[in-house]
Amino acid sequence: MDVDGDGIYGQADRPMAGVAVRLFDEQGRFLALARTNPAGFANFPMSSKRRTAAIRAPGTYRFSVSVPPGWRASGANENQLVRLADAPGSLVGLAGEGLPGPVGLTPSRTVNGRMPVGAAATLSVMGRGKVLESRALGPAAAFRFPVPAEADQVAIAGGGLDRRLALSAYPVDLGLLAPGVLGADAALITIGFDDVTTRGLCKIPSGHAGVHWYNLNAMARDHTKNSEGYVNGNVSGAYIAYTSSGHPAEFARAAPFGFHSVMLTAAWLGSEGETALVESWLGDEPIARDEITLSALAPVHYAPMLKAVTRVRLSTKHHWQMVLDDLMLAL
């Protein structure tokens, strides 16, 4: 994941698991497909002696990364050629003149949400303090707009729905816009789940970060084999949280707290497009109820920016696990 979209593998970038890479020979014939592992590598067996190896003879081979729909290869290098020559005495009998370089992928950013009945507002996309574009938001309407690469903030004004959100590298879902949003001066904490345990897996104990947790586990991103969303949903540190066994989960506190945002990801490629349901209450009063479409390739930045809640419930339509990272609260 090319987090900053500059086409260069840098310190801020994250490995992506589950991306398909196809191998072709110099005549263009398809030879094999491999998916990237938790470290972001796609491996093709090579040997001049093993019949089962994907690469068995000298020649020029093309490695082709399948760019997912709605994504782009930031370095425009999704197709790369590597020439292999005989290498007698080497471990596999072949050697390359070079290796394929890292391929950066970035999702197309969008800002999504819903307007309440009887309210109208204006959505402005900002970049370095300047308005890049503005959109009118009508009453009771859902909206979905593309976000330019240079945008770093989105602002909504009017109808008592005013708010500002700093954009990340990921698509945004604001949910149903409502009055009573967290103020710009709210003291936010980010819960990244990296300090829950030093082991690979642990149920999050009540009291962690001053919050009660139910049915949420903290896990190292590469603890579970072939778990694409656990890797791709990890946006900071090396740990994520997830809904245990795909059952509903909650975080809560007796005293009201602000629920600013969280990164949400589907845990498995097999659950691509799963629908998450996030419900929030203040005491016994329902405050918000939003459905978010999830991907296992990258998080959705869900940002309801609710000023006061006491309980948040997370579930999925088909009982797949949901991954959380960088949960931002005002406690």
Side-chain angles (χ1 to χ4, degrees):
M1 170 73 187
D2 189 357
V3 173
D4 55 14
D6 64 356
I8 300 171
Y9 177 50
Q11 293 182 352
D13 299 330
R14 315 289 293 182
M16 284 188 67
V19 177
V21 182
R22 290 173 169 82
L23 173 68
F24 300 87
D25 66 15
E26 55 192 9
Q27 282 77 42
R29 292 175 297 205
F30 170 75
L31 298 178
L33 179 146
R35 290 192 179 272
T36 54
N37 61 26
F41 292 98
N43 297 312
F44 294 89
M46 182 172 72
S47 173
S48 60
K49 298 179 180 179
R50 288 173 47 203
R51 292 184 178 181
T52 57
I55 302 172
R56 297 176 53 203
T60 300
Y61 294 85
R62 176 164 60 93
F63 296 85
S64 179
V65 174
S66 296
V67 180
W71 289 64
R72 68 182 179 91
S74 53
N77 64 338
E78 63 268 35
N79 288 290
Q80 299 186 41
L81 300 177
V82 173
R83 180 166 179 76
L84 300 175
D86 283 317
S90 68
L91 182 63
V92 297
L94 297 167
E97 296 176 355
L99 290 173
V103 176
L105 298 178
T106 58
S108 297
R109 293 190 302 172
T110 57
V111 57
N112 310 322
R114 294 177 294 135
M115 287 290 291
V117 175
T122 299
L123 182 151
S124 297
V125 178
M126 319 283 291
R128 296 185 178 182
K130 297 182 179 180
V131 176
L132 303 177
E133 56 184 70
S134 294
R135 307 267 188 159
L137 304 178
F143 58 89
R144 177 185 176 89
F145 301 124
V147 175
E150 61 271 28
D152 55 24
Q153 189 178 86
V154 62
I156 292 176
L161 305 173
D162 293 30
R163 67 198 66 203
R164 285 178 178 264
L165 177 70
L167 295 173
S168 69
Y170 308 101
V172 173
D173 196 314
L174 299 171
L176 177 64
L177 302 183
V181 71
L182 273 169
D185 58 347
L188 300 175
I189 67 165
T190 300
I191 302 173
F193 308 105
D194 295 284
D195 54 352
V196 175
T197 181
T198 56
R199 303 192 303 271
L201 173 66
C202 178
K203 187 169 289 296
I204 303 176
S206 289
H208 175 71
V211 178
H212 171 73
W213 306 87
Y214 171 72
N215 202 41
L216 279 163
N217 298 336
M219 186 174 71
R221 65 187 179 199
D222 54 0
H223 180 75
T224 301
K225 186 177 181 181
N226 297 327
S227 52
E228 303 88 0
Y230 296 130
V231 174
N232 300 334
N234 175 228
V235 299
S236 67
Y239 284 77
I240 49 84
Y242 71 95
T243 56
S244 183
S245 299
H247 292 294
E250 295 184 359
F251 57 91
R253 193 175 76 161
F257 60 94
F259 176 23
H260 182 274
S261 59
V262 64
M263 298 291 185
L264 298 176
T265 311
W268 308 90
L269 280 181
S271 62
E272 185 73 14
E274 173 66 300
T275 300
L277 174 63
V278 183
E279 302 166 280
S280 301
W281 288 266
L282 178 59
D284 294 329
E285 179 186 358
I287 297 297
R289 184 182 189 277
D290 293 314
E291 293 186 354
I292 303 102
T293 301
L294 302 180
S295 171
L297 294 173
V300 174
H301 187 188
Y302 172 59
M305 304 177 71
L306 301 173
K307 185 176 182 179
V309 302
T310 52
R311 180 165 63 102
V312 176
R313 186 174 190 263
L314 307 121
S315 60
T316 54
K317 184 175 181 179
H318 301 100
H319 305 286
W320 288 93
Q321 290 93 335
M322 174 168 36
V323 178
L324 293 72
D325 205 0
D326 280 11
L327 170 64
M328 297 186 70
L329 305 177
L331 299 176

